[in-house]
Amino acid sequence: MSSRSTGETGLVQLLDPEGARVTTPENESYRERVAHVKGDDLRGMYRDMLLTRRFDDEATALQRQGELALFAQSRGQEAAQVGSAHAMAPQDYVFPSYREHGVLHVRGVDPVDRLRLFRGQDHGGWDPTEHNTHLYTLVIGSHALHATGYAMGVQRDGLVGTGDPARDTAVVVYFGDGATAQGDVNEALVFAAVNNTPQVFLVQNNQWAISEPTTRQARVPLAERGLGFGIPGVRVDGNDVLACYAVTLEALERAHSGGGPTLVEAFTYRMGAHTTSDDPTRYREREEEEYWRRRDPIDRLGALLRAEGEWDEVWAAGVEAEAEALGERLRTEVRALGAPPTAAMFEHVYATPHATVADERAWLAEYEQADEPADHETATEATR
Amino acid sequence: MTAQLLAPTTTPTGATTLTFAKAITLGLRAALAADDKSLIMGEDVGRLGGVFRVTDGLQAEFGEDRVVDTPLAESGIVGTAIGLALRGYRPVCEIQFDGFVFPAFDQITTQLSKMHYRSRGRLQVPVVIRIPFGGGIGAVEHHSESPEVLFAHTAGLRVVSPSTPQDAYDMIRAAVASPDPVIFLEPKGRYWSKGEVDLSAPPAPGILDTARVARPGTDVTLVAYGPTVATALKAADALAGEGTSAEVVDLRAVSPLDIPAVVASVRRTGRCVVVHEAPTVHGVGAEVAARVTEEAFHYLEAPVIRVGGFHAPYPVAKLEHDYLPSVDRVLDAVDRSLAF
């Protein structure tokens, strides 16, 4: 096993695992970049991470109760997601994979809508244009190309390097360590590099692609993957929300100004299973999980807030109450999400009428209508 | 190349004679001129004008941002086209040869075809994928394939193939204008054939859904599309010499199939032979036969007969004349139908 790809070397870090500020010559530019992030901003990030975790817990419980077909937790990755999402401008466009619940929370995507896919009620769940946040993509790495093409469109729209922070636009695409092995991600890096797209590739290296460790995907730190494509790479402590924010901010500044794409590797850990379908105890050690539990991103920021006198008990109680309300809402509203009408399976297959769809839709409607009396008769017989 | 060099030859009657390839070029040119959000992307489409020169001169006229030479990565071409479409652009991708579309197959079938559906109509991906397809040009492996059924089997895609220069000109414009993704199959063996084209023809959006009767007849219906329409027409000529009147229906679209047009023809003739280059097994002919049997059973004088490729990889060029549906094989099928 290569220690080079799994080791925590070369990480940008602003908070150590105990929540103390890290002051090194190497991180000076990042410290300056986030010098303005204080009190309310830090508490806001804490709140977002806490609500994301509560979302995870409730969704996992709902899956265990049979209310969701599947769920993919973001537990442990809250700092990488919330920190990076806080760095974005509203006009920036996000392409998530499928566990970016913290990113979607920050982007304002409704929590119930985020679960429609997992409920089997919708293949999407929200309006991407409303939040500048694309739908989840389940085929690993496919969306890296969509993000690159979208960024090529942003370039053509003349929204790069305008100097106007309200207009300059970038695209952020999230994927995992496993996806870096996919051809599509590598092709996306090629297209992004040669087109100098306004783009951030944000790899959340959570150490495990289902049961396969990162060492099965790469022999070098993933951030170094960018170099061969001519794309700068940055490695950041993914459990340090402040560092994730700073590093993404730098990458977005580069993208907005016309400096091109950046590959960010957020070195983090998936505390839960890949999805509710797998069992991590079959493939990883308890010691490893304990090690990462001590590096928890939420605890880390909480410790900083306490150490710097920014912790406010009234505020903390308010956040807890908000989390309780979120849980209650998910339990109630997700259970209420029924099946769409049968005809919905034929809607939006095409943007314009298609004879085959129209024929089959009409056939099924007729069949179901003809079938109703038969069902009724059966039901009547059964009650006799 | 300047725009002037693209100008077609106009005959004294006002009709314009163009090769099939040039008709597509001018259709693309019209599409680029009509909508500045449209763009062409692919390998070698710029200065070279594509390996078949279909995009010849377009980069010089519209610039490198509208006619884009891409890296050699088919999944990348289609995947970035999807992203461009999500941003409001109308990309036309060129895949260099039929056998090279498979690296992009995942993007086409799992992403492009479903984006409108899973966004509940909130997102549109008006991407056209042009693929020179089919055989008969003596090419090497992977350069002569007929993958239309693989796409037609995927909901969300429209799959079309023109058979004349006029249709090529009209259909490529309709494809670029379509809000749906379109797999545009260009019969490469027909690229150099000529025909009259009315360049002032108005846009015809319905052309992507509608079959046409290429030749009327009364005794047997020959169903074809793309490259085999010419084969069917030659067979009809030969049959006319034998006193048999064959009607040739050009499907134009493989998805959706214009079944009413085929059924209407079969009800007139009572017999049906389907001709395509792709293997007959699980093919378009199988679908046509099933639909005709369901909807015109009592009109049929004989079973629907299929003429097409075999369940073998596309053969070496020295054998493709045995693989492709020839006029003789079509005539043999018609004889079997008439003798039933």
Side-chain angles (χ1 to χ4, degrees):
Chain A
M1 182 181 280
S2 160
S3 60
R4 222 176 141 219
S5 61
T6 54
E8 297 172 47
T9 56
L11 299 179
V12 175
Q13 192 182 62
L14 298 179
L15 300 179
D16 72 13
E18 281 70 45
R21 300 241 184 206
V22 178
T23 308
T24 63
E26 291 78 31
N27 73 13
E28 187 182 353
S29 68
Y30 295 108
R31 277 186 280 125
E32 286 172 3
R33 204 166 249 109
V34 296
H36 66 283
V37 181
K38 292 178 180 158
D40 280 348
D41 298 327
L42 292 173
R43 282 189 293 271
M45 288 182 182
Y46 183 93
R47 167 187 170 271
D48 289 337
M49 289 197 286
L50 198 78
L51 291 176
T52 300
R53 185 161 292 184
R54 186 51 174 263
F55 174 83
D56 266 2
D57 291 345
E58 291 298 337
T60 304
L62 285 167
Q63 195 280 333
R64 295 299 183 223
Q65 293 159 18
E67 300 290 344
L68 302 177
L70 185 80
F71 185 65
Q73 283 192 338
S74 56
R75 174 178 283 265
Q77 299 178 219
E78 293 91 346
Q81 298 190 9
V82 168
S84 57
H86 267 271
M88 296 170 203
Q91 70 272 19
D92 292 338
Y93 203 91
V94 178
F95 283 84
S97 56
Y98 48 76
R99 78 166 85 248
E100 274 68 66
H101 315 311
V103 178
L104 267 64
H105 165 79
V106 175
R107 300 296 286 180
V109 177
D110 186 89
V112 175
D113 290 344
R114 281 180 245 153
L115 291 176
R116 290 177 191 274
L117 173 79
F118 297 106
R119 173 85 169 163
Q121 202 251 359
D122 199 303
H123 284 327
W126 61 91
D127 183 351
T129 59
E130 192 182 325
H131 308 281
N132 283 336
T133 302
H134 194 67
L135 303 173
Y136 281 159
T137 297
L138 302 189
V139 181
I140 306 289
S142 295
H143 59 302
L145 282 166
H146 308 162
T148 304
Y150 195 94
M152 289 161 65
V154 168
Q155 277 178 319
R156 282 167 170 71
D157 291 343
L159 295 173
V160 181
T162 69
D164 178 357
R167 292 186 68 215
D168 281 342
T169 304
V171 180
V172 183
V173 55
Y174 289 85
F175 49 87
D177 40 298
T180 64
Q182 287 280 354
D184 277 1
V185 168
N186 288 273
E187 292 191 20
L189 291 166
V190 171
F191 276 73
V194 300
N195 288 293
N196 204 43
T197 52
Q199 190 173 4
V200 181
F201 292 90
L202 212 148
V203 189
Q204 291 172 87
N205 178 0
N206 69 13
Q207 314 299 325
W208 293 93
I210 307 188
S211 70
E212 296 187 5
T214 310
T215 46
R216 301 299 297 173
Q217 319 296 333
R219 286 190 63 175
V220 298
L222 298 177
E224 289 182 17
R225 282 283 183 81
L227 303 179
F229 296 94
I231 295 176
V234 185
R235 208 163 198 231
V236 60
D237 183 335
N239 287 18
D240 171 353
V241 70
L242 209 52
C244 290
Y245 174 74
V247 163
T248 311
L249 203 60
E250 178 197 42
L252 283 167
E253 282 168 14
R254 181 178 296 129
H256 286 147
S257 64
T262 306
L263 176 68
V264 174
E265 177 191 0
F267 194 83
T268 180
Y269 194 74
R270 149 163 73 76
M271 290 302 296
H274 165 69
T275 69
T276 42
S277 290
D278 70 314
D279 173 8
T281 64
R282 292 174 73 104
Y283 55 80
R284 66 188 191 192
E285 303 298 324
R286 186 163 293 277
E287 292 76 27
E288 182 184 291
E289 292 179 16
E290 280 305 318
Y291 171 82
W292 282 95
R293 212 180 304 282
R294 292 193 298 274
R295 312 176 80 76
D296 187 274
I298 300 179
D299 293 347
R300 192 182 301 196
L301 183 56
L304 174 81
L305 288 169
R306 286 191 170 88
E308 298 194 346
E310 297 284 0
W311 186 265
D312 174 337
E313 289 300 341
V314 176
W315 162 81
V319 173
E320 276 302 329
E322 206 178 342
E324 280 301 318
L326 171 66
E328 175 61 30
R329 186 176 162 223
L330 288 175
R331 288 193 296 275
T332 308
E333 295 189 20
V334 169
R335 283 198 182 96
L337 292 176
T342 310
M345 79 170 91
F346 299 106
E347 287 165 4
H348 310 296
V349 181
Y350 293 88
T352 49
H354 186 281
T356 308
V357 176
D359 288 351
E360 293 186 349
R361 179 183 184 148
W363 181 89
L364 184 59
E366 196 177 326
Y367 176 81
E368 287 192 324
Q369 212 166 19
D371 217 28
E372 270 171 18
D375 283 351
H376 176 69
E377 279 165 27
T378 312
T380 310
E381 277 170 22
T383 55
R384 273 177 195 156
Chain B
M1 179 179 277
T2 65
Q4 200 179 3
L5 289 175
L6 276 169
T9 310
T10 304
T11 65
T13 62
T16 303
T17 302
L18 294 174
T19 63
F20 201 105
K22 189 60 75 183
I24 299 171
T25 311
L26 292 174
L28 289 169
R29 184 192 184 195
L32 289 172
D35 182 356
D36 61 11
K37 290 284 191 180
S38 62
L39 60 107
I40 290 169
M41 50 198 292
E43 299 161 9
D44 308 303
V45 296
R47 290 170 68 182
L48 183 65
V51 292
F52 290 105
R53 308 292 183 267
V54 171
T55 55
D56 196 10
L58 297 178
Q59 189 182 67
E61 187 174 353
F62 293 96
E64 292 182 4
D65 279 347
R66 301 286 305 282
V67 182
V68 185
D69 274 326
T70 64
L72 268 72
E74 285 77 11
S75 190
I77 293 168
V78 175
T80 53
I82 291 170
L84 278 156
L86 292 173
R87 185 71 196 178
Y89 287 82
R90 307 185 84 87
V92 181
C93 304
E94 177 175 302
I95 300 293
Q96 212 152 55
F97 281 92
D98 34 45
F100 303 160
V101 74
F102 298 107
F105 193 69
D106 169 53
Q107 282 289 344
I108 296 171
T109 55
T110 74
Q111 305 299 316
L112 179 63
S113 67
K114 294 180 170 71
M115 205 67 86
H116 187 263
Y117 186 70
R118 67 189 173 95
S119 69
R120 310 306 295 152
R122 292 169 179 129
L123 301 176
Q124 289 191 353
V125 277
V127 175
V128 177
I129 300 178
R130 295 180 38 242
I131 309 174
F133 94 119
I137 63 165
V140 295
E141 193 181 22
H142 308 305
H143 288 66
S144 302
E145 300 183 8
S146 301
E148 58 267 35
V149 172
L150 301 172
F151 300 113
H153 203 66
T154 303
L157 303 174
R158 292 177 175 277
V159 184
V160 304
S161 183
S163 70
T164 69
Q166 181 72 57
D167 269 7
Y169 177 71
D170 292 338
M171 287 170 69
I172 190 67
R173 288 184 301 150
V176 179
S178 169
D180 285 316
V182 179
I183 308 295
F184 194 86
L185 298 161
E186 301 173 3
K188 68 173 87 79
R190 301 279 298 157
Y191 270 148
W192 303 279
S193 64
K194 291 186 174 179
E196 288 195 353
V197 180
D198 175 7
L199 292 172
S200 62
I207 200 168
L208 300 181
D209 295 75
T210 323
R212 73 183 176 102
V213 175
R215 173 189 175 118
T218 54
D219 299 332
V220 59
T221 298
L222 303 179
V223 178
Y225 56 89
T228 55
V229 173
T231 312
L233 287 170
K234 280 183 197 157
D237 278 344
L239 287 165
E242 298 170 5
T244 299
S245 167
E247 178 153 300
V248 177
V249 175
D250 174 3
L251 290 174
R252 283 189 178 130
V254 173
S255 175
L257 276 174
D258 187 356
I259 291 298
V262 177
V263 167
S265 175
V266 173
R267 285 182 177 182
R268 287 194 291 274
T269 64
R271 298 173 198 279
C272 182
V273 172
V274 192
V275 190
H276 52 63
E277 291 190 7
T280 55
V281 175
H282 306 290
V284 175
E287 180 67 22
V288 169
R291 297 294 300 272
V292 166
T293 306
E294 278 183 43
E295 297 182 31
F297 184 72
H298 294 293
Y299 295 83
L300 283 170
E301 302 289 340
V304 180
I305 297 176
R306 294 171 289 166
V307 182
F310 304 106
H311 193 55
Y314 195 89
V316 294
K318 300 291 187 197
L319 293 178
E320 65 180 348
H321 59 280
D322 294 316
Y323 176 91
L324 291 169
S326 61
V327 171
D328 279 351
R329 274 172 56 198
V330 176
L331 294 176
D332 174 70
V334 171
D335 285 347
R336 280 189 281 145
S337 178
L338 290 167
F340 192 81

